[in-house]
Each structure stands twice: as structure tokens, then as C-alpha cells.
């Protein structure tokens, strides 16, 4: 997981701050991440694929949903 954070330029401190700012929840659905890191509970670092800019922390389901929708809001509707 640390390599994924590093890939998007997110330090451990930034990651923890994002997690705190989001109250330990997915930015989309509100799924509560668990500190023990069980299956599908580790936050994914969401980012803009064009700019690489980090946006938020997402659960695995929401992260995949955005990927399957090709980040196009019309596809989600």
C-alpha cells in the first residue's frame, strides 16, 4: 500500500490527514475503513488520471465503480 501512496505523491502524514478529514470513511459512500485492514477495508487513493492529482480516499467498490464508468458522470447515470 505504501508504494501506491508514493506513486501518487501522498506521504504517510498526508494519507493520515486525508483519512482523518474524511472521518475514516470513503469519500463517496461513507463506508467506514477499519484500522485492522481486513478485506476491502484499505482505502484506495483516488486521483485524476489526466493530471495525477490526488482527490480523496475511496473504498474498493467506489474506486472500481469510477474506473468502470471511465470517470464519466454520464456513465454513472
Amino acid at each position: 500500500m505504501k508504494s501506491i501512496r508514493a506513486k501518487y505523491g501522498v506521504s504517510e502524514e498526508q494519507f493520515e490527514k486525508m483519512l482523518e478529514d474524511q472521518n475514516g470513511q470513503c469519500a463517496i459512500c461513507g463506508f467506514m475503513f477499519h484500522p485492522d485492514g481486513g478485506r476491502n477495508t484499505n482505502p484506495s487513493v483516488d486521483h485524476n488520471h489526466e493530471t495525477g492529482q490526488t482527490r480523496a480516499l475511496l473504498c474498493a467498490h467506489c474506486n472500481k465503480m469510477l474506473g468502470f464508468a471511465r470517470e464519466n458522470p454520464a456513465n454513472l447515470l
Side-chain angles (χ1 to χ4, degrees), residues 13-33:
E13 293 79 20
Q14 290 169 316
F15 180 86
E16 292 300 325
K17 175 80 168 109
M18 291 171 71
L19 195 56
E20 181 182 325
D21 290 348
Q22 292 179 210
N23 298 314
Q25 299 175 330
C26 172
I28 293 177
C29 73
F31 175 83
M32 182 64 88
F33 300 117

Side-chain angles (χ1 to χ4, degrees), residues 8-56:
Y8 301 113
V10 177
S11 70
E12 196 71 30
E13 293 79 20
Q14 290 169 316
F15 180 86
E16 292 300 325
K17 175 80 168 109
M18 291 171 71
L19 195 56
E20 181 182 325
D21 290 348
Q22 292 179 210
N23 298 314
Q25 299 175 330
C26 172
I28 293 177
C29 73
F31 175 83
M32 182 64 88
F33 300 117
H34 298 286
D36 62 359
R39 184 171 183 249
N40 290 331
T41 61
N42 290 321
S44 298
V45 178
D46 179 44
H47 64 285
N48 181 306
H49 286 255
E50 291 181 18
T51 67
Q53 183 178 4
T54 301
R55 295 187 283 222

